[in-house]
């Protein structure tokens, strides 16, 4: 069996690593990196830390709008299907690279496998939501992380025999690499004494960063928090482009370049709370038992609210301020438990299905 894996952004790398490891010896694997995330801090360091093999092909699409990136990816992927002749194409998550890989596989008549299928926020203004829907309805095999995703697919008419609930592959990577994290060492490098109570913030989605005054309002709340406890804010390239105009609203934040996987998880596991708009961070904090405040109106990961430590406050700065204040005052929400099948073995279950497909 020959498998073509298409990745391009840091969440893809975290999900692909355990699947490729589980498929060793079961299939001939080819890895294509679209170059959607191209900076070293967003790409190369992840390959090193996650033990991902170097890509067999790199498309180097570089920075552009999602439409332009998708076009460039399709042009780059087209000859690779003839060159590698895969039996299946595996795509991950919901980024532009996911959509491009799905479209290319469908156009070449190659069996499409979607890892992390079935998630829905109900908000089609989000590019990620549109990517999920299109990919799921093109896919031949859909691997879901939780029962709510199965239900979403069933309501949309996806045949049950295509759907396999396997758990969360991001947790496979988290569980495997957690022993290699060191919160104190990362804090010391940032000039924060080890053992200090701190808040971790990460914001990058267009609705947050590009949506009028939302980013400025959130930064103002983070600036207020930073007068009480340090706030560490690794700056995503999307956020960096908007930060200069808003920086006067948040002079006391500990701003850093994008962090590698191990450094970010080190900060995540030790934080008093995390403020985010990232889906993956909602999942990781749920598994780690760390309070998470999601600055979005909806989440495609309701299991993190129902069974985890995640609270969705929307983009209202007053709700964010209130939620942060409550958590810092000690009103810590207790998790109901780790979701079913989030046990570090999702990739093994995926490999078992693929081997028999």
């Amino acid at each position: 069996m020959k498998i073509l894996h298409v990745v391009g952004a840091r969440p893809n790398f975290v999900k692909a690593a355990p699947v490729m490891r589980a498929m060793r010896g079961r299939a001939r694997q080819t890895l294509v990196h679209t170059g959607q995330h191209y900076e070293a801090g967003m790409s190369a360091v992840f390959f090193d830390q996650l033990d991902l093999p170097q890509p067999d092909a790199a498309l180097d699409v570089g920075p552009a709008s999602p439409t332009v990136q998708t076009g460039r990816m399709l042009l780059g992927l087209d000859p690779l299907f003839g060159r590698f002749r895969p039996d299946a194409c595996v795509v991950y998550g919901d980024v532009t690279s996911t959509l491009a890989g799905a479209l290319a596989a469908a156009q070449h008549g190659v069996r499409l496998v979607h890892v992390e299928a079935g998630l829905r926020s109900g908000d089609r203004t989000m590019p990620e939501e549109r990517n999920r829907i299109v990919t799921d309805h093109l896919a031949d095999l859909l691997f879901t992380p939780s029962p709510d995703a199965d239900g979403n697919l069933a309501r949309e008419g996806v045949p049950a025999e295509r759907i396999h609930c396997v758990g969360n592959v991001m947790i496979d990577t988290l569980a495997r690499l957690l022993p290699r994290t060191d919160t104190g060492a990362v804090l010391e490098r940032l000039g924060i004494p080890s053992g200090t109570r701190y808040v971790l913030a990460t914001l990058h989605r267009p609705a947050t960063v590009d949506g009028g005054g939302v980013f400025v309002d959130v930064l103002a709340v983070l600036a207020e928090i930073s007068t009480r406890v340090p706030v560490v804010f690794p700056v995503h390239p999307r956020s960096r482009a908007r930060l200069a105009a808003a920086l006067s609203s948040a002079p006391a934040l500990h701003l850093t370049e994008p962090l590698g996987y191990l450094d970010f998880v080190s900060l995540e596991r030790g934080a008093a709370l995390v403020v985010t708009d990232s889906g993956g961070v909602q999942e990781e904090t749920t598994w780690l038992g760390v309070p998470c405040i999601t600055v979005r109106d909806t989440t495609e990961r309701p299991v993190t609210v129902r069974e985890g430590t995640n609270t969705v406050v929307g983009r209202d700065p007053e709700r964010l301020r209130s939620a942060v204040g409550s958590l810092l005052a000690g009103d810590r929400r207790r998790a109901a438990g780790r979701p079913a099948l989030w046990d570090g073995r999702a990739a093994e279950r995926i490999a078992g299905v693929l081997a028999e497909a």
Side-chain angles (χ1 to χ4, degrees):
M1 184 181 190
K2 293 184 290 185
I3 296 178
L4 182 74
H5 301 266
V6 178
V7 299
R10 56 192 289 173
N12 295 162
F13 311 146
V14 178
K15 296 161 191 169
V19 175
M20 293 194 72
R21 186 176 301 106
M23 288 302 296
R24 286 175 187 165
R26 302 192 190 198
R28 181 177 175 183
Q29 302 186 87
T30 299
L31 182 63
V32 177
H33 186 348
T34 67
Q36 179 179 341
H37 281 174
Y38 51 91
E39 296 184 356
M42 301 286 285
S43 179
V45 67
F46 279 74
F47 278 76
D48 294 339
Q49 293 183 350
L50 301 176
D51 303 320
L52 266 172
Q54 288 304 302
D56 298 282
L59 306 185
D60 299 322
V61 299
S65 70
T67 302
V68 172
Q69 282 190 328
T70 302
R72 290 175 180 170
M73 290 175 193
L74 287 171
L75 287 171
L77 286 167
D78 185 65
L80 298 182
F81 279 81
R83 174 182 167 190
F84 295 111
R85 298 187 179 279
D87 300 301
C89 174
V90 183
V91 296
Y92 301 84
D94 55 21
V95 299
T96 304
S97 300
T98 311
L99 176 64
L103 291 171
Q107 289 165 346
H108 283 269
V110 171
R111 195 171 204 190
L112 176 63
V113 178
H114 187 199
V115 174
E116 197 184 74
L119 299 182
R120 298 289 185 269
S121 69
D123 181 2
R124 291 201 183 190
T125 66
M126 295 175 59
E128 296 88 353
E129 183 81 348
R130 300 191 294 270
N131 294 343
R132 295 180 200 117
I133 293 169
V134 173
T135 301
D136 282 342
H137 286 272
L138 290 174
D140 299 286
L141 279 175
L142 300 98
F143 292 114
T144 64
S146 50
D148 57 279
D150 295 6
N152 292 333
L153 294 172
R155 282 188 293 274
E156 293 175 9
V158 177
E161 61 269 20
R162 297 184 184 178
I163 304 168
H164 300 267
C165 190
V166 295
N168 192 329
V169 291
M170 286 192 73
I171 302 305
D172 290 21
T173 295
L174 181 60
R176 186 175 73 89
L177 295 182
L178 194 64
R180 291 170 53 186
T181 60
D182 188 337
T183 303
V186 178
L187 288 176
E188 293 284 356
R189 290 205 307 271
L190 296 175
I192 302 172
S194 179
T196 300
R197 194 179 188 214
Y198 64 93
V199 170
L200 177 63
T202 172
L203 305 166
H204 71 280
R205 291 186 180 271
T208 309
V209 178
D210 300 337
V214 173
F215 193 40
V216 174
D217 290 342
V218 172
L219 283 175
V221 176
L222 294 178
E224 291 176 24
I225 299 168
S226 70
T227 64
R228 301 168 60 186
V229 297
V231 176
V232 180
F233 184 2
V235 182
H236 188 281
R238 173 178 287 279
S239 303
R240 186 188 308 138
R242 301 286 180 178
L243 196 59
L247 191 58
S248 60
S249 302
L253 300 183
H254 289 262
L255 304 176
T256 77
E257 292 297 312
L259 297 174
Y261 181 80
L262 293 175
D263 283 353
F264 185 80
V265 173
S266 293
L267 291 176
E268 215 174 6
R269 73 178 300 187
L273 63 96
V274 178
V275 177
T276 191
D277 59 3
S278 162
V281 171
Q282 294 173 58
E283 294 173 322
E284 290 167 345
T285 50
T286 285
W287 196 82
L288 291 168
V290 174
C292 177
I293 298 175
T294 298
V295 189
R296 286 172 47 192
D297 295 323
T298 60
T299 179
E300 65 283 355
R301 293 162 169 89
V303 68
T304 66
V305 177
R306 185 174 62 251
E307 299 191 43
T309 55
N310 186 24
T311 301
V312 179
V313 299
R315 292 177 288 165
D316 181 344
E318 291 306 318
R319 290 179 64 191
L320 172 60
R321 184 178 288 109
S322 175
V324 170
S326 294
L327 286 171
L328 290 180
D331 183 16
R332 178 165 178 159
R333 176 179 175 179
R334 292 184 179 275
R338 290 171 177 169
L341 301 181
W342 290 26
D343 56 3
R345 300 180 62 186
E348 294 177 23
R349 289 185 278 270
I350 289 172
V353 175
L354 287 177
E356 297 178 2

